[in-house]
Amino acid sequence: GIRDVAVTGVQTCALPIWSAGARTRRPISPRRGRSTIRWTRRASAAPTWATLSSSGALIRAPQILTSGTSYTTPSNCTAIYVEAVGGGGGGGGCGAQPNYVGGAGAAGAYCAKYFTVTGSTAYTYAIGAAGTGGSAGANSGTAGGSTTFTIGATTITATGGTAGASGGDSGSKQTAGVTATNGDINGGSGQGVSASASFSLGGSSVFGGGGSRVGAANGTAANGYGAGGAGGQAASSSAAAQSGGNGSQGIIRIWEFT
């Protein structure tokens, strides 16, 4: 026979699959306030029911890795999406001369890749270390460490941020960003910028903000993950050496799917 099914909201359901001889009619125009679907059955056999596949479902909240070297997939995991950011570079210190300024550190690169994996299997990774700021005086910072994740013969690398240059002069400085490799997405990174007698700003990453400084002071450290530290700045009158700010360490975020 023919029956009407009223649908009043967004619903999920399984639909019957009738044996030979069955047919259905298209949905008719809905009445105000509801949609009506009419089904016509002309077979005597009972229907069977289609089963919806759960493949591709997100298993749990994303896993955040900030330390360690080994990650194990859940038992029902068949694929993961890995996001990685390298450590941020440290800012440069500046000498004890009027308006001397150290370069700001660049952020670590962003890399992302989709992997097919096996459940209950361990995979190796490395978290990029934070670059350190240069000590007071004309001393460069250090570069951030690269963050890596390896499955089989493939290793993705989110390169660590470039260090800020030493402040042995009063010229403005720009620290170039870096680029990731082997990912489906190989992102660049935020540059570090220092302007003489003005400001210094470390490069920002997807997961963190660069250190910032205005006026004569030590460079400030980066926030979050993968960002660069600010450079130090000497005053225009009473010149004193200043140190650069530290970058922040890298990070990995993993999305797991059935």
Side-chain angles (χ1 to χ4, degrees), residues 52-150:
L52 298 178
S53 172
S54 61
S55 178
L58 184 65
I59 294 174
R60 56 182 175 178
Q63 300 301 290
I64 305 299
L65 308 178
T66 57
S67 62
T69 60
S70 181
Y71 155 80
T72 300
T73 53
S75 60
N76 59 336
C77 185
T78 63
I80 58 176
Y81 187 71
V82 180
E83 299 175 282
V85 170
C94 69
Q97 296 294 328
N99 295 325
Y100 274 23
V101 60
Y110 171 86
C111 190
K113 188 172 181 64
Y114 179 88
F115 289 100
T116 298
V117 296
T118 302
S120 302
T121 301
Y123 299 100
T124 60
Y125 65 89
I127 300 296
T132 57
S135 58
N139 299 299
S140 300
T142 63
S146 294
T147 296
T148 62
F149 193 93
T150 302

Side-chain angles (χ1 to χ4, degrees), residues 17 19 28 54 58 70 81 83 88 120 125 130 136 144 151 154 163 182 189 201 204-205 218 221 237:
I17 301 175
S19 58
I28 65 173
S54 61
L58 184 65
S70 181
Y81 187 71
E83 299 175 282
S120 302
Y125 65 89
I151 293 185
T154 302
N182 280 350
S189 71
L201 180 62
S204 292
S205 76
N218 293 320
S237 55

